[in-house]
Amino acid sequence: MLTDQHKPFFSKRSIAYEVIIGIDLGTTFSATAVVRDGVPHIVPQGDERIMPSVVGFTPQGALLVGTPARNQYVLHPDRTVRM
Amino acid sequence: MSEHSPDPPEGGPLLRRVRRLIVNTSMGDGPDTLHLQERLEAIERRLDGLTRQIQMMDTSEKQRSQALQDALATLEKQISRAGREQLKANSLTEAQIEQVAAILEELRTDNSRRDLEITLLREQHAAAQKTARLEVIQSILPALDGLDEALRSGQQLLKQPLTPPPATLFERMRSRAVTNQNTNPILQEALSAWLIGLTFVRQRLLDVLATEGVQPIAAQGQPFDPQLHIVMDVMPATPEFPPNTIAAELRRGYLVGNRVLRHAEVVVSSTEN
């Protein structure tokens, strides 16, 4: 029996029901989740369920969020913000 | 002659004409007249018999017709009943066909749903297998790091120049206290051979990982990429290492396809400090 758990996130049906996203903005890591059928589901970012709470810009001006921003923090602390 | 005509004759038109002919032609009660009358009476009797037979035949024909009509009515009733039964049977058959079609459609829907579930389960199974293999590979990586570190230390040891053997007792005692000194060329050759063997072991392990799609991340001398490398330290830029270039690799990183299995920990040159 196919259940809603087998359906991908952000399907047309989900969009029709106005998906509400919860964000846990932690001091070290952050996570986003949606509630479906009364059960919270973490929305993965690539392969990671949580991401470092770091945001930065490369010298070329590209926005980095999460792990890539953390990776450059030592090199570009003036271009990177941690919680 | 018309006044001698008898009472209206009985029988059909032919008998009336014959009787009229006898009356007209016979004027008395002669033998011929009597003979003719007897014959006429015989004919009349025969005609009566025929008439009765015809009446009987009519009656029989009516009875047969009635029987046929009854049989026909019975047949009509049977046909009507059979028609109604056929109609019921047709309706029942149509209902059964509709039920079978509905069941078939439901089975097809279930089948397609199960196909989808099987596909999803296979995808989940493949993803679980992939995750498990990556976990195993990640558990192997520290051993590979140990091999890299052993090779690095061995190479550093080999690079040290040979020192002459201690001549005096004091120098021999001092050489025992000082470590990391190459005093024996035979030992140095053995160390070199051992490092070569260790290199083969490392390469074999890397080949096994390569069959699983695991590739080392190029780091030394490459421009820094925050998607692949983690900056652990920063050093001033030099002509050999211009700004934003990886000057040293502290721990090797690995890729599985386009996915980063482990980021490479590096030292990057910079002019900002």
Side-chain angles (χ1 to χ4, degrees):
Chain A
M1 187 69 184
L2 186 66
T3 63
D4 287 340
Q5 291 183 351
H6 296 112
K7 295 184 177 178
F9 289 101
F10 306 118
S11 64
K12 292 181 179 177
R13 183 182 172 192
S14 299
I15 290 173
Y17 281 101
E18 292 184 355
V19 175
I20 298 174
I21 300 177
I23 301 174
D24 174 16
L25 193 59
T27 55
T28 307
F29 290 96
S30 297
T32 56
V34 294
V35 176
R36 259 190 337 209
D37 299 331
V39 179
H41 297 274
I42 291 180
V43 181
Q45 300 291 324
D47 296 326
E48 299 173 339
R49 290 165 60 84
I50 57 176
M51 70 172 81
S53 302
V54 186
V55 177
F57 289 94
T58 65
Q60 292 78 26
L63 176 64
L64 298 175
V65 179
T67 303
R70 182 203 60 187
N71 291 348
Q72 73 155 16
Y73 179 75
V74 176
L75 182 63
H76 302 295
D78 54 335
R79 296 175 173 274
T80 313
V81 177
R82 302 177 72 169
M83 291 292 292
Chain B
M1 291 176 66
S2 61
E3 59 269 13
H4 296 286
S5 55
D7 296 335
E10 296 177 356
L14 181 60
L15 284 178
R16 285 195 298 271
R17 286 180 62 186
V18 170
R19 194 182 297 276
R20 198 177 301 126
L21 182 62
I22 291 171
V23 172
N24 291 337
T25 53
S26 62
M27 299 303 294
D29 295 334
D32 294 336
T33 304
L34 292 173
H35 179 68
L36 284 172
Q37 285 181 348
E38 288 174 358
R39 289 191 63 186
L40 185 60
E41 288 174 357
I43 289 169
E44 286 178 352
R45 284 195 299 274
R46 192 172 177 183
L47 283 173
D48 290 339
L50 287 172
T51 302
R52 280 194 298 274
Q53 285 183 357
I54 288 170
Q55 287 176 350
M56 289 176 65
M57 285 178 67
D58 286 345
T59 305
S60 173
E61 195 65 30
K62 284 181 181 176
Q63 289 177 351
R64 286 180 61 190
S65 175
Q66 185 63 37
L68 285 174
Q69 285 181 355
D70 293 342
L72 187 60
T74 306
L75 281 175
E76 284 179 352
K77 288 180 181 176
Q78 289 179 354
I79 289 171
S80 176
R81 191 181 302 126
R84 286 195 298 273
E85 290 178 355
Q86 184 66 34
L87 184 61
K88 288 181 181 176
N90 288 341
S91 301
L92 185 62
T93 304
E94 288 177 358
Q96 287 177 345
I97 289 172
E98 288 178 359
Q99 284 182 351
V100 169
I103 292 171
L104 190 61
E105 184 64 25
E106 191 174 351
L107 286 175
R108 283 177 180 161
T109 306
D110 284 345
N111 193 24
S112 59
R113 191 179 299 158
R114 284 180 183 169
D115 285 343
L116 186 60
E117 285 182 4
I118 288 172
T119 304
L120 288 170
L121 285 175
R122 283 179 179 164
E123 290 176 357
Q124 289 177 357
H125 181 65
Q129 272 189 333
K130 187 178 177 182
T131 304
R133 291 165 88 172
L134 290 180
E135 287 178 357
V136 171
I137 290 170
Q138 280 180 327
S139 65
I140 291 174
L141 292 183
L144 200 54
D145 296 337
L147 278 176
D148 286 341
E149 190 60 34
L151 282 170
R152 187 179 296 120
S153 299
Q155 295 293 343
Q156 287 177 357
L157 196 61
L158 280 178
K159 285 178 184 176
Q160 289 182 359
L162 282 173
T163 55
T168 63
L169 177 61
F170 176 73
E171 288 178 346
R172 283 201 296 272
M173 291 176 65
R174 183 172 177 274
S175 66
R176 286 180 184 174
V178 177
T179 57
N180 293 335
Q181 278 193 346
N182 288 329
T183 58
N184 191 347
I186 298 174
L187 187 61
Q188 193 176 27
E189 288 179 3
L191 178 62
S192 177
W194 182 76
L195 286 179
I196 290 172
L198 207 58
T199 306
F200 288 156
V201 171
R202 175 181 173 276
Q203 187 58 45
R204 190 169 181 180
L205 193 54
L206 284 175
D207 291 342
V208 171
L209 292 178
T211 59
E212 296 293 330
V214 179
Q215 297 292 335
I217 295 175
Q220 187 75 32
Q222 300 292 321
F224 168 69
D225 183 355
Q227 305 290 342
L228 302 175
H229 310 122
I230 301 177
V231 180
M232 304 303 290
D233 200 359
V234 179
M235 62 170 284
T238 61
E240 185 182 2
F241 299 109
N244 207 41
T245 303
I246 296 173
E249 183 185 49
L250 302 180
R251 196 173 74 158
R252 194 181 295 269
Y254 293 93
L255 285 171
V256 179
N258 294 326
R259 176 185 170 188
V260 177
L261 188 61
R262 191 179 73 183
H263 291 85
E265 297 177 357
V266 296
V267 178
V268 180
S269 59
S270 174
T271 56
E272 294 182 3
N273 293 329

